[in-house]
């Protein structure tokens, strides 16, 4: 979805910051979620402040999905054996893609929500599933 959802000058999240391609009608926009404390001190999941957000120019709600994208522990590319914590929607999108691949494989393996008793249903999911 992008990382343009936060205005550093006003220190607030800004609506209508989602851009192309995430705002396109037939695309799946992925935002970053953040686990933090709510106003009552309880843990809750939120759309990360930096994550771009809708609505789009034609008032559709975006992002479509969110996944963890704040303080992700990952390898540091410039030094062997070192890791860093980093944030961004670029870390949320692979989580969604990996889960989509697992769902597609689940269906390919014949685990379908129909006639479980006699295994009478088949499915060859398309690449878009």
């Amino acid at each position: 979805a992008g990382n343009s959802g936060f205005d550093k000058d006003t220190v607030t999240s800004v609506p209508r910051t989602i851009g192309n391609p995430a705002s396109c009608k037939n695309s799946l926009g992925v935002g970053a979620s953040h686990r933090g404390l709510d106003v009552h001190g309880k843990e809750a999941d939120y759309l990360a402040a930096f994550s771009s957000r809708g609505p789009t120019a034609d008032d559709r709600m975006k992002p479509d999905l969110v996944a963890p994208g704040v303080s992700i522990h990952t390898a540091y590319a410039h030094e062997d054996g070192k890791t860093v914590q980093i944030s961004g929607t670029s870390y949320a999108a692979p989580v969604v893609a990996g889960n989509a691949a697992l769902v597609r494989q689940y269906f390919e393996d014949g685990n379908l929500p129909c006639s479980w008793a006699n295994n009478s249903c088949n499915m060859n999911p398309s690449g878009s599933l």
Side-chain angles (χ1 to χ4, degrees), residues 32-90:
S33 65
H34 171 69
R35 180 164 209 102
L37 298 179
D38 67 11
V39 294
H40 304 290
K42 296 183 179 180
E43 280 199 4
D45 293 313
Y46 298 95
L47 182 63
F50 62 80
S51 191
S52 296
R53 60 201 70 224
T56 62
D58 60 353
D59 290 325
R60 286 175 292 113
M61 294 308 299
K62 290 282 187 163
D64 301 296
L65 295 170
V66 295
V70 175
S71 297
I72 303 300
H73 200 87
T74 186
Y76 183 63
H78 305 290
E79 194 173 320
D80 286 344
K82 186 173 180 183
T83 59
V84 293
Q85 281 193 352
I86 196 160
S87 301
T89 55
S90 294

Side-chain angles (χ1 to χ4, degrees), residues 3-14 17 49-50:
N3 299 320
S4 302
F6 188 72
D7 185 341
K8 292 178 183 172
D9 295 331
T10 62
V11 192
T12 58
S13 295
V14 181
T17 53
F50 62 80

Side-chain angles (χ1 to χ4, degrees), residues 21-28 58 60 62 64:
S23 65
C24 294
K25 182 178 144 191
N26 293 323
S27 69
L28 187 65
D58 60 353
R60 286 175 292 113
K62 290 282 187 163
D64 301 296

Side-chain angles (χ1 to χ4, degrees), residues 101-118:
L102 290 172
V103 168
R104 186 173 194 278
Q105 186 65 49
Y106 179 82
F107 287 135
E108 282 184 339
D109 290 346
N111 300 309
L112 305 170
C114 58
S115 194
W116 293 98
N118 60 11

